[in-house]
Amino acid sequence: MIPGTETALIFSAIPGARVSLGQTQGEVDEAPQHAAEISPFAMMTTEVTAAQFGAFRYREQDGSTASYDADIVTRPSPPYEDPAHGLGSGTARPATGMTQWAALQYAQWIYQKTGAFVRLPTEAEWEYACADAAGHLSEGAWYRDTGNEALRDVGMGRANQFGLFDMLGNAAEWTLDEYRTDAYRARADGQADPLESPTRLHPRVVRGGSFDDDAAALTCSNRTRSSLAWKRRDPQIPKSKWWNTDSPFLGFRLVRPALQPSPEDVAAFFDLHLSF
């Protein structure tokens, strides 16, 4: 349980491994296929739900006595409109429509509340964890042919070999990496824990496809770039750092590295990734 709330985050342990990423044929940004050494980590079994994110979004009402630094982690500002555009209802659907910055603010809040360092997955971790999910598209994956053009409650389909639900479809998911078309071509074969560290706000890598995508987009290797157009209808100046008005299909899940970093390294991580 998250102290002071009625919600919990459930993780599944994923062993370290030497894995194959990318494709030998297909989209140019998915090639070439290459090896990577991935350290062990745990990943949330589902996307962060509206209830889980709501404990953060509305936390001034949670009656919490657990300590966290309110000067470090701020409360989400009210969105201009429903982030999910009415495409999902209920607390068990994925929380969507937030920026990557907002997702990382949520991760920092979890760290402040629990002492466990969590973050967005790297795209290498995400692709490895996706595993055999592509074989489950006919068994409860929510995409354009099956999703009725709306979000669904998490965990309603079949889990993959790591016990993860909705890795493909339902809500697409933020990863930590900056998007580069040539990332896989520039990467050394066998690199340990690859990450394209951010140098700018956009584009970042989004994975997994959503209820609004065709089946062809729902592959473990498919890479989507984030877009400033996802704030197109936001009338605020400056535009919200928390919410996108035009990405009701986009959510996130968190990972917890098996080797937890020092407090100094955690501070450096959030200083970097929340600086854009």
Side-chain angles (χ1 to χ4, degrees), residues 33 60 85 98 154 173 209 213 216 258 276:
Q33 193 170 67
E60 78 283 0
H85 289 204
M98 72 288 297
V154 301
E173 300 177 17
D213 284 312
F276 297 95

Side-chain angles (χ1 to χ4, degrees), residues 230-243:
W230 293 348
K231 289 183 180 290
R232 183 175 56 247
R233 293 187 299 166
D234 186 347
Q236 302 175 91
I237 300 175
K239 294 181 183 295
S240 173
K241 294 187 72 171
W242 291 96
W243 305 102

Side-chain angles (χ1 to χ4, degrees), residues 159-239:
N160 74 356
Q161 68 185 50
F162 294 125
L164 309 176
F165 295 87
D166 299 316
M167 289 297 286
L168 298 176
N170 209 8
E173 300 177 17
W174 284 113
T175 70
L176 200 57
D177 296 59
E178 181 174 312
Y179 175 89
R180 288 178 47 195
T181 303
D182 65 346
Y184 284 11
R185 294 194 298 277
R187 186 174 296 169
D189 193 52
Q191 183 174 332
D193 297 316
L195 167 67
E196 299 298 326
S197 293
T199 60
R200 51 186 173 168
L201 182 61
H202 286 284
R204 303 296 175 89
V205 179
V206 171
R207 290 289 196 137
S210 76
F211 67 87
D212 198 35
D213 284 312
D214 293 326
L218 272 65
T219 70
C220 292
S221 61
N222 185 49
R223 305 174 70 226
T224 300
R225 65 175 71 195
S226 66
S227 172
L228 287 170
W230 293 348
K231 289 183 180 290
R232 183 175 56 247
R233 293 187 299 166
D234 186 347
Q236 302 175 91
I237 300 175
K239 294 181 183 295

Side-chain angles (χ1 to χ4, degrees), residues 44 46-54 57-58 79 81-98 106 142 149-156 166 169-172 211 243 247-252:
M44 285 184 64
T46 69
E47 293 143 346
V48 172
T49 66
Q52 290 164 339
F53 194 76
R57 180 177 172 185
Y58 305 114
E81 59 186 7
D82 172 21
H85 289 204
L87 298 173
S89 61
T91 57
R93 64 168 173 79
T96 60
M98 72 288 297
Y106 178 77
W142 314 123
E149 299 183 350
L151 295 162
R152 299 290 191 94
D153 287 357
V154 301
M156 300 299 290
D166 299 316
N170 209 8
F211 67 87
W243 305 102
S247 65
F249 52 83
L250 177 58
F252 68 101

Side-chain angles (χ1 to χ4, degrees), residues 27-167:
E27 299 296 329
V28 64
D29 65 348
E30 298 177 27
Q33 193 170 67
H34 60 284
E37 298 284 348
I38 307 297
S39 298
F41 63 99
M43 177 176 266
M44 285 184 64
T45 58
T46 69
E47 293 143 346
V48 172
T49 66
Q52 290 164 339
F53 194 76
F56 169 54
R57 180 177 172 185
Y58 305 114
R59 69 181 185 272
E60 78 283 0
Q61 302 171 12
D62 68 11
S64 173
T65 57
S67 62
Y68 62 89
D69 192 336
D71 292 329
I72 292 177
V73 185
T74 59
R75 185 174 76 87
S77 60
Y80 173 68
E81 59 186 7
D82 172 21
H85 289 204
L87 298 173
S89 61
T91 57
R93 64 168 173 79
T96 60
M98 72 288 297
T99 62
Q100 192 206 57
W101 186 87
L104 286 167
Q105 286 281 3
Y106 178 77
Q108 189 178 35
W109 178 70
I110 295 296
Y111 175 66
Q112 287 280 325
K113 296 279 277 186
T114 68
F117 172 67
V118 295
R119 56 167 170 78
L120 294 174
T122 67
E123 67 167 328
E125 289 169 338
W126 193 97
E127 186 171 334
Y128 164 40
C130 185
D132 61 341
H136 301 168
L137 294 189
S138 63
E139 300 177 60
W142 314 123
Y143 58 103
R144 186 167 295 170
D145 290 346
T146 64
N148 295 325
E149 299 183 350
L151 295 162
R152 299 290 191 94
D153 287 357
V154 301
M156 300 299 290
R158 178 181 168 189
N160 74 356
Q161 68 185 50
F162 294 125
L164 309 176
F165 295 87
D166 299 316
M167 289 297 286

Side-chain angles (χ1 to χ4, degrees), residues 236-270:
Q236 302 175 91
I237 300 175
K239 294 181 183 295
S240 173
K241 294 187 72 171
W242 291 96
W243 305 102
N244 292 327
T245 53
D246 299 274
S247 65
F249 52 83
L250 177 58
F252 68 101
R253 73 179 77 207
L254 299 174
V255 299
R256 184 180 64 231
L259 180 61
Q260 289 278 284
S262 68
E264 294 77 16
D265 287 341
V266 171
F269 172 88
F270 286 117

